[in-house]
Amino acid sequence: MVEASLAAPPLAAKPTLVELQGVNKTFANGTVALENLNLAVGEHAFISLLGPSGCGKSTALRIVAGLAGASAGRIVWNGNVEIGDIGFVFQEPTLMPWATAFDNVYLPLRLQRMSRGAVEERVLEALDLVGLVDFAKAYPRELSGGMKMRVSIARALVTRPKVLLMDEPFAALDEITRFKLNNDLLDLWRSRRFTVVFVTHSVFESVYLSERILVMATRPGRVVDEIDVTAPYPRDDAFRTSQAYNDWCRLASAALKRAMGEA
Amino acid sequence: MSSAIARAAVRGRHGAQDSPMADARERQSHRDRLLRWGAPVLIAGLALIAWELVVWWNQIPHYILPSPSLVLQSLVRDWGTLSASLLMTLQITFLALAVAIVGGVGLAVLFSLSKWVEFSLFPFAVVLQVTPIVAIAPLILIYVDSTYAALLICAWIVAFFPILANTTLGLNSADHNLQSLFELYGATRWQTMRFLRLPAAMPYFLGGLKIAGGLALIGAIVAEFAAGTAGAGSGLAYRILEAGYRLNIPRMFAALLLISLTGIAIFLTLSLLSHLLLRKWHESALEREK
Ligand SMILES: Nc1ncnc2c1ncn2[C@@H]1O[C@H](COP(=O)(O)OP(=O)(O)OP(=O)(O)O)[C@@H](O)[C@H]1O
Ligand SMILES: [Mg+2]
């Protein structure tokens, strides 16, 4: 993994990759999940959506991915989005139980009609990124929860996406595994230069990972606060125990509390 | 057994050690398997001996209740006719099952691709299912010229529905997030069918197949009874009818025995098939890790 230390460039310098403008989402049963949601994601940015349960984070992410339609508003992509430009990681591993880890990661390429032989290297490389090459032939049931999650991240990475959308990917994991996967994700992000939109309800996780935190409020879901975490990368375990980290967490926590008070 | 081998292979690959406790578990599961086969065989043996003794002791005439040994003798003596009939019944059963699989799965796929087709055809499938086969078999025998074809249709009707219903359920039960994922990667309908919905439906289909296998045999037998001696029937049911008219009770029992054995064989074969296809991933075919 590339260890070059790159200071975070000023956020304004990043051209917008995707933008939601005044997005509303009303479900068939009348639930208004999102109302006038505005958010912009810069290229190569690491953005977190932070908010309480039920505030519409998953809905917003699905709309960005095009997996759900907005009831009103616009989704504007800067440039073409080809198939494979978006990687999506669900809250659950969401693997096919009948397929090996290799075949699960191979799936996005297979759907683009690439033959197994032609892309074997790429699939194994993606598995290597998450440290699971040795388990290529294992079935999901033979893997631990964290390993399954890593397979699903490898699957999202195998198409070399421009943007990685992650929906509370580490929420179900224990703290030690989560810290490890946090670090792995940051390393990958810095070496591969993709964009990340990361949904979480953990203040600590959002501060540790992201350049910018969008705080959401409930009913209707909308962005009520933005926090730019200007702490430099690489961030590591030393950052986790630093005073600066503490201060950012307190700030984000207060913003979240305000958002929930407003709800 | 096979899943144990697969597990051992995995264990070997990841370099973990076998412990004495694993040995004990291995022995335990060995005992379980012995019990599973040994106990029913023992019970059956005891029952047969009791039956033989009761007949012999009370001197029950063979046209009322033949002893097991007499049934066996009859089976051996009449093997020529009986085996020909067995073959005939097997042929109809398996042909009907094959057509039921092709038709059931094909229609289920069609249903899952188009709500329109499902809504217009499903009620008729239900009507076929709920109408007792004994009631429609005589009609089918009247309207279809070839008795063979009529028997086939009857067996097919009863075997078809469980496969259709189960496969339809299975095709619709693929994980929604996986479906979203396929959508994200621009999968065609055919790709989603081939790589997601069909594999997801496999356990359901196999469950339906196990039921359909037994029903196909029942359908074939019932239809033969309905055809009676009028038809050109020469299946096992026909042999039972014929032996009944001649009061050849041992031969009736012998034919009955063959039908039961056929049913058991079908069930075991389909169970094995199901196990082989699912042993790598589906909960039903996995031993619980303790
Ligand atoms: N299919 C649906 N039909 C109706 N309402 C829905 C549907 N999906 C979500 N909702 C509603 O939309 C709101 C937002 O849901 P969403 O799943 O986006 O929340 P979330 O922020 O991801 O919550 P969590 O952190 O618990 O995952 C909730 O109030 C929920 O009840
Ligand atoms: Mg959610």
Side-chain angles (χ1 to χ4, degrees), chain A residues 116-262:
Chain A
R116 185 186 301 264
V119 295
E120 193 177 345
E121 293 278 296
R122 269 177 81 176
V123 174
L124 290 176
E125 186 198 50
L127 278 168
D128 192 30
L129 284 176
V130 296
L132 286 178
V133 211
D134 292 342
F135 291 85
K137 291 202 179 87
Y139 284 82
R141 56 170 287 263
E142 297 165 347
L143 302 174
S144 73
M147 288 157 91
K148 277 187 255 201
M149 215 55 233
R150 274 143 70 193
V151 173
S152 108
I153 292 172
R155 178 180 60 194
L157 291 174
V158 77
T159 58
R160 299 174 191 276
K162 280 191 198 151
V163 52
L164 196 57
L165 307 176
M166 308 179 93
D167 190 356
E168 305 195 31
F170 309 137
L173 302 179
D174 65 281
E175 204 158 77
I176 298 168
T177 312
R178 192 162 69 227
F179 285 179
K180 163 131 188 10
L181 291 183
N182 280 171
N183 289 335
D184 290 352
L185 177 61
L186 279 185
D187 286 346
L188 271 174
W189 171 66
R190 282 160 27 81
S191 59
R192 290 230 159 173
R193 314 269 302 133
F194 46 71
T195 307
V196 181
V197 182
F198 191 96
V199 165
T200 179
H201 57 236
S202 158
V203 168
F204 307 108
E205 196 171 44
S206 67
V207 167
Y208 186 72
L209 292 174
S210 35
E211 295 175 303
R212 169 177 283 186
I213 302 170
L214 304 181
V215 184
M216 290 181 68
T218 313
R219 224 151 283 143
R222 66 213 180 275
V223 175
V224 290
D225 219 333
E226 296 190 5
I227 301 170
D228 286 331
V229 184
T230 49
Y233 295 89
R235 298 176 184 170
D236 51 21
D237 293 329
F239 176 57
R240 244 187 236 290
T241 50
S242 70
Q243 184 56 41
Y245 175 73
N246 254 331
D247 294 342
W248 287 115
C249 288
R250 200 161 312 131
L251 201 71
S253 219
L256 187 60
K257 216 161 275 164
R258 270 200 308 281
M260 290 173 75
E262 278 174 34

Side-chain angles (χ1 to χ4, degrees), chain B residues 11 17-29:
Chain B
R11 230 188 272 131
Q17 295 285 316
D18 271 347
S19 64
M21 229 154 75
D23 266 6
R25 258 198 315 269
E26 201 70 19
R27 247 176 287 130
Q28 170 72 34
S29 82

Side-chain angles (χ1 to χ4, degrees), chain A residues 27 29 31 33 52-59 91 168 219:
Chain A
F27 282 105
N29 63 3
T31 310
S53 177
C55 74
K57 305 180 296 289
S58 298
T59 309
Q91 187 164 348
E168 305 195 31
R219 224 151 283 143

Side-chain angles (χ1 to χ4, degrees), chain B residues 175-223:
Chain B
D175 184 277
H176 283 188
N177 281 336
L178 274 173
Q179 290 185 34
S180 295
L181 198 77
F182 272 68
E183 201 182 302
L184 183 71
Y185 290 115
T188 61
R189 255 162 33 144
W190 169 242
Q191 283 179 322
T192 309
M193 186 55 74
R194 164 79 186 74
F195 297 127
L196 176 61
R197 302 180 74 176
L198 282 175
M202 194 53 126
Y204 295 81
F205 161 73
L206 289 168
L209 185 62
K210 250 190 258 182
I211 300 172
L215 285 181
L217 178 64
I218 293 177
I221 299 288
V222 166

